[in-house]
């Protein structure tokens, strides 16, 4: 029998991700990769099911987490652990389909929306992929989704890097393939000893935790939180989701930020604030300030062997009305102030609070009625050079995430190869005017970049 796996436990941030999965929408994230198949000679690019499955099977050993499942442990043995899945079969995770009529990117986004609200079985690896043929002339797509506990946004990019052309198969990695897979789970005795050793170690980290709690308190006070006035941005949401996208040249957004001492993220937040203000005005509502929850990663990058979640969120005050340049400077100062403390430290307070709510059955009640934030905006810096997969250039990457609770519309942002793509994620019943918001956001970005 091979050597047992190292004990790979979920983190405190992972626990928060698991605890917050309640109600009708699973906590999944992912991406749509649009592929340019024009360089291939055969129709539908010759990328049949067998070829796609072979490609995935070859590269998966380089991303070990994609062949592992999450296992809950007996009382006293600590947090859940990741273990090799002895029944792993790539055919249970990857499928090949023809693009639904009428084709095009919107049809792919509709398919992706359906995948993002379909729970992944906890009995196997927590991801799924769909290769879509016939998206357009010389065009295909790959949609990949995974549970948030498997990876946050930064780690998700590491997953992607492990699957594109040029990635190492990982055959030489420990336990990656051959006779080393699957390795057996640690014994109950070893798990219990490890759990108690970690608990004792946490006592030594208590001063750092107390300092982080202090940072979290300062962070929460800095936003001057008050209970938000009711608007249609916060309303009960159902199980359906719909996506729309806005793509702009990255250089223009970057230049607009530099002119006001701001970042790309600051420009995006400012544009979103303006678009939401105008959307509410079209609905006969008035709101000129917004509280936006923004994730901040604690790491600049990771490898395929260092997945999971290591991030937090900070609340940012974003004005929606007034001179665009002045609004941008206001947002930039707010994000700089937040980063001077401990970005995302609020997780130290909110994580335990959310886990208590989940254990008492009150989490869904809370998120369905919260009046602390209007929306979520995640922003990731993607690859600067074009990628390829299955021998096809990746012409665009569309980030995916799921809005939860009473947040009717949220935003996922990703830069890639000179472009910036913003995905608008909405409940189509609670936000039926998504196309209008899409147009308003495009106008706000253009005004800021002018």
């Amino acid at each position: 029998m091979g050597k047992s796996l190292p004990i790979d436990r979920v983190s405190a941030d992972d626990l928060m991700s698991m605890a917050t999965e309640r109600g009708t929408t699973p906590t999944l994230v992912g991406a749509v990769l649009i592929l340019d198949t024009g360089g291939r000679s055969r129709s539908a690019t010759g990328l049949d099911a067998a070829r796609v499955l072979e490609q995935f099977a070859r590269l998966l050993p380089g991303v070990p987490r994609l062949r592992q499942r999450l296992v809950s442990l007996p009382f006293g043995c600590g947090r859940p652990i990741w273990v090799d899945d002895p029944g792993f079969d790539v055919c249970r995770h990857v499928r090949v389909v023809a693009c639904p009529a009428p084709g095009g990117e919107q049809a792919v986004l509709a398919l992706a929306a359906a995948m993002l609200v379909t729970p992944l079985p906890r009995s196997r690896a927590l991801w799924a992929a769909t290769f879509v043929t016939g998206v357009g002339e010389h065009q295909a797509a790959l949609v990949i989704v995974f549970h948030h506990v498997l990876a946050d946004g930064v780690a998700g990019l590491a997953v992607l890097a492990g699957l594109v052309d040029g990635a190492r198969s990982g055959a030489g990695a420990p336990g990656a393939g051959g006779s080393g897979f699957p390795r057996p789970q640690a014994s109950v005795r070893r798990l219990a000893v490890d759990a108690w050793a970690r608990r004792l170690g946490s006592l030594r980290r208590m001063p750092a935790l107390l300092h982080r709690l202090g940072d979290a308190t300062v962070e929460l006070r800095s936003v001057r939180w008050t209970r938000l006035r009711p608007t249609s941005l916060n309303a009960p949401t159902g199980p359906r989701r719909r996506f729309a996208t806005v793509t702009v040249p990255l250089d223009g957004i970057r230049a607009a930020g530099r002119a006001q001492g701001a970042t790309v993220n600051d420009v995006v937040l400012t544009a979103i604030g303006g678009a939401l203000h105008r959307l509410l005005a079209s609905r006969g509502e008035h709101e000129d300030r917004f509280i936006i929850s923004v994730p901040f990663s604690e790491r600049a990058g990771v490898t395929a062997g260092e997945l999971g979640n290591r991030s937090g969120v900070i609340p940012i005050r974003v004005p929606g009305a007034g001179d665009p340049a002045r609004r941008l400077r206001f947002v930039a100062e707010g994000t700089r102030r937040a980063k001077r403390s401990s970005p995302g430290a609020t997780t130290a307070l909110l994580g335990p609070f959310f886990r208590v709510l989940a254990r008492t059955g009150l989490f869904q009640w809370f998120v369905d009625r919260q009046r602390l934030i209007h929306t979520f905006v995640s922003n990731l810096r993607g690859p600067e050079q074009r990628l390829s997969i299955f021998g096809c250039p990746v012409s665009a990457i569309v980030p995916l995430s799921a809005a939860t609770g009473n947040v009717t519309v949220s935003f996922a942002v990703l830069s890639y190869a000179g472009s910036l793509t913003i995905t608008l994620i909405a409940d189509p019943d609670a936000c039926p005017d998504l196309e209008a918001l899409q147009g308003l956001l495009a106008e706000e970005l253009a005004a800021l970049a002018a």
Side-chain angles (χ1 to χ4, degrees):
M1 182 176 294
K3 185 179 178 181
S4 63
L5 278 169
I7 298 175
D8 185 5
R9 296 188 187 271
V10 298
S11 68
D13 290 344
D14 294 334
L15 287 177
M16 180 173 170
S17 175
M18 295 168 65
T20 56
E21 185 173 57
R22 294 292 187 274
T24 56
T25 306
T27 309
L28 306 183
V29 295
V32 175
L33 281 65
I34 304 297
L35 310 183
D36 178 3
T37 61
R40 306 193 68 89
S41 59
R42 289 176 285 178
S43 71
T45 75
L47 293 174
D48 57 18
R51 179 177 172 82
V52 171
L53 289 172
E54 184 277 331
Q55 175 86 342
F56 269 94
R58 181 177 66 83
L59 292 172
L60 284 175
V63 190
R65 185 60 52 81
L66 296 184
R67 298 196 300 172
Q68 294 178 329
R69 60 191 179 92
L70 196 59
V71 175
S72 296
L73 301 177
F75 177 78
C77 290
R79 297 172 179 171
I81 61 172
W82 294 98
V83 300
D84 284 354
D85 180 5
F88 179 82
D89 182 352
V90 68
C91 296
R92 300 167 72 185
H93 296 268
V94 182
R95 62 177 181 147
V96 179
V97 303
C99 186
E105 182 177 309
Q106 198 56 48
V108 176
L109 291 179
L111 187 153
M115 290 178 63
L116 210 70
V117 297
T118 302
L120 297 171
R122 290 293 183 92
S123 60
R124 57 183 190 240
L126 295 173
W127 66 278
T130 298
F131 183 78
V132 188
T133 61
V135 174
E137 186 177 5
H138 304 308
Q139 201 172 58
L142 177 68
V143 185
I144 183 166
V145 301
F146 40 86
H147 196 286
H148 207 303
V149 72
L150 189 150
D152 59 15
V154 172
L157 292 175
V159 172
L160 177 61
L163 298 176
V164 298
D165 294 345
R168 298 172 59 187
S169 68
S179 60
F181 179 88
R183 291 179 292 175
Q185 180 179 327
S187 67
V188 171
R189 180 180 181 278
R190 184 176 171 222
L191 289 168
V193 170
D194 177 79
W196 281 105
R198 290 173 186 251
R199 292 183 184 111
L200 292 174
S202 66
L203 294 177
R204 293 192 294 270
R205 295 190 296 272
M206 188 60 70
L209 176 59
L210 293 175
H211 179 73
R212 187 168 174 81
L213 288 171
D215 286 342
T217 302
V218 171
E219 193 171 282
L220 292 175
R221 285 177 179 171
S222 69
V223 79
R224 297 193 291 277
W225 249 339
T226 58
R227 185 174 175 82
L228 303 179
R229 291 181 296 185
T231 71
S232 54
L233 293 176
N234 296 114
T237 58
R240 298 197 302 145
R241 292 296 178 267
R242 187 177 179 189
F243 300 139
T245 62
V246 175
T247 300
V248 294
L250 180 59
D251 284 346
I253 301 301
R254 186 179 286 132
R258 286 175 179 165
Q260 302 297 333
T263 65
V264 168
N265 189 52
D266 296 331
V267 176
V268 171
L269 291 174
T270 303
I272 288 172
L276 291 176
H277 169 74
R278 294 169 63 190
L279 180 74
L280 290 181
S282 72
R283 296 175 179 176
E285 304 174 54
H286 178 76
E287 181 59 73
D288 57 10
R289 69 171 183 88
F290 300 93
I291 305 297
I292 298 180
S293 179
V294 181
F296 278 84
S297 179
E298 296 181 3
R299 48 194 176 181
V302 297
T303 67
E306 303 170 319
L307 303 184
N309 292 260
R310 284 186 57 190
S311 60
V313 296
I314 65 171
I316 301 293
R317 296 178 68 232
V318 177
D323 175 66
R326 183 176 299 174
R327 289 190 285 121
L328 177 55
R329 289 192 294 270
F330 180 91
V331 171
E333 176 55 33
T335 56
R336 280 195 297 269
R337 187 166 55 247
K339 292 175 182 179
R340 281 197 291 266
S341 57
S342 178
T346 47
T347 305
L349 288 175
L350 297 181
F353 173 64
F354 286 160
R355 292 199 295 273
V356 169
L357 288 179
R359 288 173 183 170
T360 57
L362 294 174
F363 178 78
Q364 193 61 43
W365 179 91
F366 172 78
V367 297
D368 285 344
R369 293 163 176 79
Q370 66 84 27
R371 287 287 184 267
L372 299 176
I373 66 166
H374 290 98
T375 188
F376 306 95
V377 177
S378 63
N379 193 337
L380 289 173
R381 180 182 296 176
E384 295 182 2
Q385 305 300 320
R386 287 198 180 275
L387 306 174
S388 65
I389 191 167
F390 310 131
C392 302
V394 178
S395 58
I397 302 178
V398 178
L400 305 176
S401 66
T404 59
N406 66 350
V407 175
T408 61
V409 60
S410 60
F411 306 83
V413 187
L414 178 72
S415 62
Y416 169 65
S419 294
L420 188 73
T421 296
I422 304 174
T423 306
L424 296 76
I425 305 106
D427 178 333
D429 300 310
C431 182
D433 44 3
L434 183 62
E435 287 83 1
L437 179 59
Q438 178 186 27
L440 293 172
L441 180 56
E443 290 176 7
E444 290 288 325
L445 288 166
L448 286 163

